[in-house]
Amino acid sequence: MASRILMPVPVCLIENSQRKGLVVQQEALQVLSKVTQPVVVVAIAGLYRTGKSYLMNRLARQRKGFSLGSSVQSHTKGIWMWCVPHPCKPGHTLVLLDTEGLGDVEKCDNKNDTWIFVLTVLLSSTLIYNSKGTIDQQAMDQLHYVVKLSEHIKLKAAPEKSEDELKDSEKFVLFLPTFVWAVRDFTLRLELNGKEISEDEYLENALKLKAGSSPEIERYNQPWECIHQFFPGRKCFVFDPPARKRDLDHLEELQDDEIEPEFLQQVEKFCSHIWEKSPPKTVRGGHFVTGNMLGKLAETYVKAIESGAVPCLESAVVALAEIENTAAVKAAVTLYQDLMKQRAKMPMETVQELLELHTKCEQEALKLFMAWAFDDDICYFQRQVQQVKEKFCTDNEQASRVKCEAALKDLSQDMERRIRDGAYSVPGGYELFKGDEQALADAVLQEFLQRKQAVAKVILKADISLTEKDKELKSEQDRNERAEQEREVQRK
């Protein structure tokens, strides 16, 4: 198992190309295939040129990594990935996803903006939405992609009757990531009606719905309602401007004493929360997602989008389960085979000994299978183990046959010598040969019985014990019958 993935720089996970569309990159998949630990996937989304990449570099505990632009152009294209050891959770890998800025005015076609956001939601366990200024109507208008989530994600391959389903929001909550809103260049005072409030209280106050049912109010409330419904667990962080405007062009090169102290404290607080509170990525059934599984999910979702379909969670998990279960069976059967080879000294004395060893090795292999596989159905695993067990039984029979033949050959050397010397080529030679043959058979039987003498003693002891118990039970039964007869006489 790979315990640490040394990844010096981020790589592109999903390219967004005007010519090819969305393409999962093989280099990223190769990196993920080596991550066999559970992954905590933290992704960031938001408008272009709002400082998303800087926060992600800080989460990686680096100054540089994800590209920072200094102009109004969007630097990150598609979705970029950086796998680093998790700073707070041993045995986990932190996967950071930096996404293409939404709403880039220089892009000729913004149709993939929605899909980039959908993929970010589907792949992450924590989603950071990055915006500038304040949380107001304009900020919510820029977050209109969340309104389209239910239109661009299917939960089931075959939808059930509407009356049998949970409400859409309730179903979406089961798989959506935790939501963190990062407000950059925040210059307001955190006060409400003259009282100081927390960042979370500021967010909840901003998300309050307007009263009324007019079309205008309903349009106003729609994105706020989606935030409430899809992300019941929310967190907010506000950040002061990090430095003077002229220094923003090379922010990653500034030393800490050149950055606003308040901003550094806010970044430290933000990073601590993400490291400590972001959950591992899971799928249906509570199965932890590894790096290799995350790559498979990305391929499945992108393939669906590029085919013109809507990504389906159920289909993706079924495909993933099939891949993982096949790998689990292969690994478990290999373990069973290795254990049997190590412990079985062919030929085994009895078939029972071989079967007992098989049971022990199968149980150890089953533990590996159950820890890896998605489903508890072990029938396929047992069929594969049965085939290997039958081969061991066949090999054991063959080894027994070879050993017996060698033993007989060794014991019959004297007879072979007498045959070569013509000792039986005399009158009465046949009777002499049969006598020697019987003596050889008696010797073989006697050797066998001697080897089984210890087993015979154990069986005899058990038989005596059982016989004594039977006698005690019979005696007790007779006493009970006599007592019953006496009671019947007394009654009459």
Side-chain angles (χ1 to χ4, degrees), residues 349-384:
E349 285 291 331
T350 65
V351 174
Q352 184 61 32
E353 289 182 30
L354 181 63
L355 294 179
E356 289 175 358
L357 178 61
H358 151 75
T359 300
K360 292 179 181 177
C361 295
E362 184 184 40
Q363 288 299 318
E364 292 185 42
L366 181 60
K367 289 180 181 178
L368 174 63
F369 172 78
M370 297 299 288
W372 190 332
F374 264 58
D375 300 314
D376 295 338
D377 183 7
I378 62 174
C379 293
Y380 180 64
F381 162 74
Q382 291 178 325
R383 287 196 298 270
Q384 298 299 308

Side-chain angles (χ1 to χ4, degrees), residues 135-137 140 181 192-193 197 200-212 217-228 234:
I135 301 178
D136 53 16
Q137 185 59 40
M140 290 306 300
W181 196 321
L192 180 64
N193 299 327
I197 59 174
D200 293 338
E201 289 171 332
Y202 167 71
L203 173 61
E204 295 309 310
N205 183 69
L207 293 179
K208 282 185 178 178
L209 303 179
K210 283 186 176 180
I217 291 179
E218 288 183 355
R219 282 195 299 270
Y220 173 89
N221 285 339
Q222 187 180 25
W224 311 90
E225 288 176 339
C226 289
I227 294 290
H228 278 282
R234 301 177 290 273

Side-chain angles (χ1 to χ4, degrees), residues 349 441-457:
E349 285 291 331
D442 291 342
V444 172
L445 177 60
Q446 187 62 32
E447 183 178 342
F448 172 79
L449 292 176
Q450 287 177 351
R451 289 204 309 268
K452 296 301 178 185
Q453 191 173 9
V455 177
K457 288 181 179 179

Side-chain angles (χ1 to χ4, degrees), residues 249-432:
D249 294 350
H250 51 278
L251 183 60
E252 72 276 15
E253 298 175 0
L254 298 180
Q255 299 301 313
D256 284 353
D257 58 4
E258 299 176 282
I259 299 177
E260 292 294 331
E262 187 69 22
F263 175 78
L264 288 176
Q265 292 176 11
Q266 293 163 341
V267 169
E268 183 179 353
K269 178 183 174 183
F270 165 80
C271 290
S272 296
H273 172 83
I274 298 298
W275 291 332
E276 295 170 6
K277 302 299 183 182
S278 294
K281 176 69 176 174
T282 59
V283 292
R284 184 194 67 191
H287 294 281
F288 290 112
V289 173
T290 63
N292 184 55
M293 293 161 63
L294 184 66
K296 299 296 183 186
L297 287 174
E299 287 185 295
T300 302
Y301 292 140
V302 170
K303 183 178 179 181
I305 292 171
E306 288 302 299
S307 69
V310 173
C312 176
L313 290 175
E314 183 181 57
S315 299
V317 173
V318 167
L320 184 61
E322 184 176 345
I323 294 171
E324 290 299 304
N325 286 347
T326 300
V329 168
K330 183 178 179 180
V333 171
T334 299
L335 175 62
Y336 167 81
Q337 197 167 14
D338 292 343
L339 292 174
M340 288 291 288
K341 286 180 180 178
Q342 293 169 11
R343 301 173 183 177
K345 307 301 180 184
M346 299 291 189
M348 305 288 284
E349 285 291 331
T350 65
V351 174
Q352 184 61 32
E353 289 182 30
L354 181 63
L355 294 179
E356 289 175 358
L357 178 61
H358 151 75
T359 300
K360 292 179 181 177
C361 295
E362 184 184 40
Q363 288 299 318
E364 292 185 42
L366 181 60
K367 289 180 181 178
L368 174 63
F369 172 78
M370 297 299 288
W372 190 332
F374 264 58
D375 300 314
D376 295 338
D377 183 7
I378 62 174
C379 293
Y380 180 64
F381 162 74
Q382 291 178 325
R383 287 196 298 270
Q384 298 299 308
V385 168
Q386 182 66 22
Q387 293 178 10
V388 180
K389 185 196 80 171
E390 289 173 359
K391 185 178 185 305
F392 274 106
C393 290
T394 302
D395 292 345
N396 189 58
E397 290 176 7
Q398 180 64 25
S400 298
R401 186 178 295 108
V402 170
K403 185 176 181 179
C404 290
E405 290 174 353
L408 287 172
K409 185 177 180 181
D410 183 59
L411 291 169
S412 64
Q413 283 182 355
D414 188 52
M415 284 186 64
E416 294 292 338
R417 181 182 56 76
R418 298 185 69 180
I419 291 172
R420 290 195 302 269
D421 293 345
Y424 301 120
S425 300
V426 295
Y430 177 72
E431 292 299 327
L432 182 60

Side-chain angles (χ1 to χ4, degrees), residues 12-272:
C12 182
L13 173 61
I14 301 174
E15 180 187 3
N16 182 14
S17 168
Q18 291 187 7
R19 184 170 61 89
K20 297 180 181 179
L22 299 172
V23 182
V24 182
Q25 300 299 294
Q26 290 302 313
E27 181 184 2
L29 293 178
Q30 290 175 4
V31 172
L32 288 173
S33 68
K34 299 175 183 177
V35 181
T36 55
Q37 300 175 329
V39 291
V40 177
V41 187
V42 178
I44 194 165
L47 291 185
Y48 72 105
R49 297 304 307 126
T50 53
K52 300 187 302 298
S53 299
Y54 179 84
L55 285 183
M56 300 306 276
N57 289 340
R58 284 289 187 165
L59 286 173
R61 296 190 292 188
Q62 301 292 331
R63 290 186 177 275
K64 297 182 180 180
F66 291 112
S67 175
L68 274 68
S70 59
S71 66
V72 293
Q73 294 177 314
S74 173
H75 265 226
T76 305
K77 300 295 183 183
I79 299 178
W80 284 67
M81 176 189 78
W82 203 353
C83 300
V84 297
H86 200 290
C88 297
K89 292 184 173 70
H92 291 69
T93 295
L94 179 61
V95 179
L96 302 172
L97 301 181
D98 189 15
T99 65
E100 177 176 335
L102 306 174
D104 186 355
V105 294
E106 292 194 358
K107 285 191 291 189
C108 298
D109 187 358
N110 290 328
K111 68 177 182 179
N112 279 342
D113 274 4
T114 298
W115 288 126
I116 291 291
F117 185 79
V118 168
L119 286 169
T120 304
V121 170
L122 289 173
L123 296 175
S124 63
S125 53
T126 292
L127 172 64
I128 303 167
Y129 181 70
N130 193 72
S131 67
K132 274 192 170 186
T134 60
I135 301 178
D136 53 16
Q137 185 59 40
Q138 181 182 1
M140 290 306 300
D141 289 342
Q142 294 165 350
L143 192 55
H144 66 278
Y145 303 99
V146 75
V147 178
K148 302 179 181 179
L149 277 179
S150 60
E151 302 172 12
H152 290 79
I153 299 174
K154 283 172 58 179
L155 291 177
K156 291 184 174 293
E160 302 171 358
K161 294 180 180 179
S162 58
E163 60 266 22
D164 295 331
E165 291 185 327
L166 294 169
K167 293 180 179 179
D168 285 346
S169 61
E170 294 174 343
K171 293 183 297 179
F172 271 70
V173 166
L174 298 177
F175 70 86
L176 287 179
T178 58
F179 184 80
V180 176
W181 196 321
V183 186
R184 310 293 292 278
D185 296 346
F186 185 79
T187 57
L188 300 179
R189 294 175 62 87
L190 285 174
E191 290 183 350
L192 180 64
N193 299 327
K195 294 179 63 177
E196 186 176 342
I197 59 174
S198 67
E199 294 156 303
D200 293 338
E201 289 171 332
Y202 167 71
L203 173 61
E204 295 309 310
N205 183 69
L207 293 179
K208 282 185 178 178
L209 303 179
K210 283 186 176 180
S213 58
S214 67
E216 292 79 9
I217 291 179
E218 288 183 355
R219 282 195 299 270
Y220 173 89
N221 285 339
Q222 187 180 25
W224 311 90
E225 288 176 339
C226 289
I227 294 290
H228 278 282
Q229 293 170 355
F230 295 155
F231 304 108
R234 301 177 290 273
K235 188 73 179 172
C236 180
F237 291 91
V238 299
F239 299 86
D240 290 359
R244 292 173 297 181
K245 187 174 182 180
R246 68 187 182 196
D247 291 331
L248 296 178
D249 294 350
H250 51 278
L251 183 60
E252 72 276 15
E253 298 175 0
L254 298 180
Q255 299 301 313
D256 284 353
D257 58 4
E258 299 176 282
I259 299 177
E260 292 294 331
E262 187 69 22
F263 175 78
L264 288 176
Q265 292 176 11
Q266 293 163 341
V267 169
E268 183 179 353
K269 178 183 174 183
F270 165 80
C271 290
S272 296

